[in-house]
């Protein structure tokens, strides 16, 4: 875990934790790293979500970039995947997205992209951290005659809409779809994309005011869409997060269709049509065991990857895979897009639905999800990794793994900058796995308490 950047970029309360001063430094350091220590000739695209703080953070980034001698192109309020695609499409040196994705409006965040439109690698983010935290003198602006220039692009969303409409290859005629834009970036694009593909679209969460992004709407508050689908007699619903990276769905009965189900539905369809590269999908610790069992039953290969978009896309590119995703709805189609794209995912899912002639509840039945229990145990930073070497903790984990065998699994890992130990157990019987999870949690708490100084 980096000192500034986590697995999903940098986040903090806007302007007070993620300050404009820090954003300016990130802009300078990014100009150096993305430009290969030759900022002149470097061009970085800047996009942002619909938070009221985004203008301030984006302006500071642009100031930092230009003060380092690189050019900044501000493309406005766009979906994060639109920025990723435009970086690659326009031959830019990289991109920076100002977004806190799926969390509330008081937060902001920064995500960095390479010239290929992929999330910036760990080593390059670490170099940016080093320049800011350890060697700030290396990014102090030098006197020069020519500094970077700031330009503005006003057709980014228009270009992205045309692009997604083209590559989706979908015919959604006859479908009535409810779409929840999370009062975020998809508010400017979703209706045009899905209407152009032939769907009858009913929108919610599509009136961003700078303060309501992800507020009681979107993929993290999907109960609102559940009601909306029924009230409007829709065939199904699609929900995005504020950055339009995630996609979850609601079937005609009001049930959630999560990322595991979307991957299964798309994988089966792609395999039947010969478009599932290497006949395999990516599987991570975050995915439900039911996805693994689905793949085995349908002759689909599985390749293991660490969780997180950056790890998944790297593995997929290395091995030539064309599909992967997590339960939260980050779905990757690397043959079509360099990053997780919620609107592309929605279009692909709905096209599969329309061609099948089935209802989404029927289509989703291809996978049987295993019961799952997840617990988070906050720990003091002093005890990072300590539990991994504690025999009482590792012993109970090993014991439960043996009991569950191939019909379940136990995943215990440390996550977050403010660390928590996440316990996730899957198995056939909820009562059994819930008891196991609580016993592991109690053991961890007891062992870490014993190691507290008296």
């Amino acid at each position: 875990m980096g000192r500034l950047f986590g697995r999903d970029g940098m986040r903090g309360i806007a302007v007070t934790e993620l300050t404009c001063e820090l954003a300016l430094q990130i802009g300078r350091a990014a100009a150096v790293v993305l430009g290969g220590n030759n900022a002149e000739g470097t061009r970085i695209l800047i996009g942002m979500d619909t938070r009221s703080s985004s203008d301030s953070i984006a302006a500071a980034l642009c100031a930092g970039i230009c003060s380092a001698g690189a050019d900044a192109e501000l493309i406005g309020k766009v979906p994060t995947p639109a920025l990723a695609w435009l970086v690659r499409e326009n031959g830019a040196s990289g991109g920076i997205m100002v977004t806190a994705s799926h969390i509330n409006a008081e937060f902001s965040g920064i995500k960095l992209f390479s010239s290929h439109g992929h999330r910036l690698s760990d080593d390059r983010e670490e170099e940016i951290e080093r320049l800011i935290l350890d060697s700030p003198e290396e990014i102090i602006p030098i006197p020069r005659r020519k500094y970077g220039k700031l330009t503005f692009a006003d057709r980014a969303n228009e270009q992205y809409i045309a692009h997604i409409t083209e590559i989706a290859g979908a015919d959604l005629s006859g479908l009535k779809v409810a779409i929840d834009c999370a009062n975020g970036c998809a508010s400017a694009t979703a209706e045009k994309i899905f209407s152009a593909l032939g769907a009858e679209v009913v929108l919610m969460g599509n009136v961003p005011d700078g303060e309501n992004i992800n507020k009681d709407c979107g993929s993290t508050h999907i109960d609102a869409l559940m009601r909306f689908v029924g009230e409007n007699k829709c065939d199904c619903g699609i929900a995005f997060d504020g950055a339009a990276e995630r996609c979850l769905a609601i079937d005609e009965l009001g049930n959630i269709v999560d990322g595991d189900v979307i991957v299964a539905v798309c994988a089966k369809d792609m395999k039947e049509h010969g478009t599932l590269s290497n006949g395999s999908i990516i599987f991570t610790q975050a995915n439900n065991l039911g996805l693994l069992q689905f793949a085995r039953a349908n002759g689909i290969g599985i390749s293991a990857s660490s969780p997180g978009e950056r790890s998944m896309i790297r593995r997929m590119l290395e091995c030539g895979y064309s599909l992967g995703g997590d339960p939260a709805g980050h779905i990757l189609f690397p043959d079509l897009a360099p990053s997780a794209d919620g609107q592309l995912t929605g279009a692909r899912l709905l096209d599969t639905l329309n061609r099948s002639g089935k209802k989404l509840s029927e289509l989703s039945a291809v996978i049987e999800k295993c019961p799952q229990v997840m617990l988070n145990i906050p720990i003091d930073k002093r005890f990072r990794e300590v539990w991994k070497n504690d025999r009482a903790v590792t012993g109970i984990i090993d014991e439960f793994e043996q009991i569950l065998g191939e019909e379940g699994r136990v995943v215990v890992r440390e996550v977050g900058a403010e660390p928590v130990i996440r316990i996730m157990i899957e198995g056939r019987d909820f009562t059994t796995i819930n008891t196991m999870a609580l016993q592991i949690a109690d053991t961890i708490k007891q062992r870490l308490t014993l190691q507290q100084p008296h």
Side-chain angles (χ1 to χ4, degrees):
M1 191 68 65
R3 292 178 288 171
L4 290 177
F5 297 98
R7 196 177 72 188
D8 198 28
M10 179 186 179
R11 287 184 188 146
I13 297 175
V15 183
T16 56
E17 291 180 351
L18 175 47
T19 64
C20 293
E21 291 80 5
L22 178 55
L24 184 141
Q25 292 290 83
I26 291 173
R28 283 181 182 158
V32 172
V33 172
L34 293 172
N37 292 311
N38 180 24
E40 291 188 16
T42 298
R43 181 168 62 103
I44 300 173
L45 304 190
I46 312 295
M48 54 185 170
D49 66 19
T50 59
R51 299 162 206 270
S52 62
S53 61
S54 292
D55 288 323
S56 301
I57 303 298
L61 285 167
C62 290
I65 292 166
C66 293
S67 70
D71 294 337
E73 183 174 346
L74 192 60
I75 65 172
K77 291 180 170 61
V78 299
T80 296
L83 171 77
W85 170 69
L86 284 165
V87 166
R88 186 175 69 178
E89 180 73 7
N90 295 337
S93 306
I96 306 179
M97 184 71 188
V98 180
T99 182
S101 300
H102 61 285
I103 58 179
N104 293 341
E106 62 265 29
F107 291 85
S108 187
I110 289 175
K111 296 185 179 183
L112 302 170
F113 293 84
S114 73
S115 59
H116 299 289
H118 301 136
R119 293 291 301 279
L120 204 62
S121 62
D122 290 333
D123 59 337
R124 298 180 84 189
E125 282 192 352
E126 287 168 3
E127 176 62 6
I128 290 173
E129 291 175 338
R130 183 192 71 80
L131 290 169
I132 295 170
L133 300 175
D134 302 329
S135 304
E137 70 280 0
E138 294 184 29
I139 54 173
I140 294 174
I142 59 173
R144 61 174 84 225
R145 290 181 178 271
K146 183 180 180 182
Y147 292 89
K149 65 185 179 189
L150 174 62
T151 57
F152 300 87
D154 58 4
R155 296 186 62 250
N157 279 325
E158 182 181 334
Q159 292 172 318
Y160 172 72
I161 290 166
H163 170 66
I164 293 298
T165 303
E166 178 182 357
I167 67 169
D171 179 5
L172 309 185
S173 302
L175 285 179
K176 184 177 182 181
V177 183
I179 298 180
D180 184 347
C181 300
N183 289 315
C185 302
S187 300
T189 56
E191 183 174 22
K192 293 178 181 178
I193 289 171
F194 288 89
S195 294
L197 294 174
E200 180 185 349
V201 175
V202 186
L203 292 177
M204 65 170 287
N206 63 317
V207 188
D209 62 10
E211 299 179 7
N212 61 357
I213 188 170
N214 300 309
K215 185 177 181 181
D216 301 323
C217 60
S219 61
T220 49
H221 299 279
I222 202 165
D223 52 320
L225 182 61
M226 291 177 178
R227 297 189 296 269
F228 194 75
V229 167
E231 290 166 358
N232 288 275
K233 296 181 172 55
C234 295
D235 296 304
C236 57
I238 297 290
F240 307 117
D241 66 344
E245 297 170 294
R246 302 181 182 206
C247 174
L248 297 180
I250 297 296
D251 68 21
E252 77 286 356
L253 302 176
N255 300 311
I256 296 177
V257 178
D258 71 4
D260 286 319
V261 180
I262 293 172
V263 169
V265 168
C266 290
K268 188 172 187 295
D269 181 70
M270 291 169 71
K271 184 174 187 291
E272 290 171 354
H273 290 85
T275 57
L276 187 66
S277 299
N278 293 321
S280 299
I281 59 174
I282 289 290
F283 186 82
T284 76
Q285 291 179 337
N287 292 111
N288 189 276
L289 187 62
L291 182 61
L292 179 62
Q293 295 168 345
F294 154 82
R296 288 172 175 165
N298 287 273
I300 294 172
I302 286 289
S303 182
S305 168
S306 300
E309 179 179 330
R310 182 162 31 201
S311 298
M312 287 193 291
I313 196 72
R314 182 169 61 242
R315 178 69 173 163
M316 295 171 82
L317 293 171
E318 287 172 353
C319 301
Y321 299 130
S322 55
L323 179 62
D326 66 22
H330 289 99
I331 312 298
L332 293 161
F333 297 95
D335 294 345
L336 298 175
S339 68
D341 189 323
Q343 292 172 100
L344 174 62
T345 298
R348 293 293 301 268
L349 174 66
L350 295 180
D351 183 56
T352 303
L353 172 66
N354 218 22
R355 286 187 284 103
S356 73
K358 299 179 180 178
K359 295 186 181 298
L360 187 53
S361 59
E362 299 174 277
L363 201 64
S364 301
V366 297
I367 176 175
E368 183 180 351
K369 300 286 289 290
C370 288
Q372 183 183 87
V373 173
M374 187 177 296
L375 298 177
N376 289 329
I377 311 300
I379 61 171
D380 191 287
K381 289 182 179 180
R382 294 173 298 165
F383 298 118
R384 277 189 179 277
E385 309 295 328
V386 169
W387 60 276
K388 292 183 178 179
N389 298 311
D390 189 298
R391 290 187 178 180
V393 175
T394 58
I396 194 170
I397 292 171
D398 291 342
E399 177 188 347
F400 290 157
E401 284 179 336
Q402 291 177 14
I403 292 171
L404 292 172
E406 292 188 357
E407 295 188 348
R409 61 173 177 158
V410 180
V411 178
V412 182
R413 59 192 179 101
E414 208 169 288
V415 298
E418 297 296 329
V420 300
I421 297 173
R422 179 166 295 165
I423 303 164
M424 190 277 287
I425 306 185
E426 292 172 339
R428 291 189 178 277
D429 181 68
F430 177 81
T431 302
T432 299
I433 62 174
N434 189 55
T435 301
M436 289 178 171
L438 291 171
Q439 288 183 24
I440 293 174
D442 288 342
T443 303
I444 290 172
K445 291 174 184 176
Q446 290 167 6
R447 298 302 297 174
L448 292 186
T449 300
L450 288 174
Q451 297 176 57
Q452 294 271 9
H454 296 287

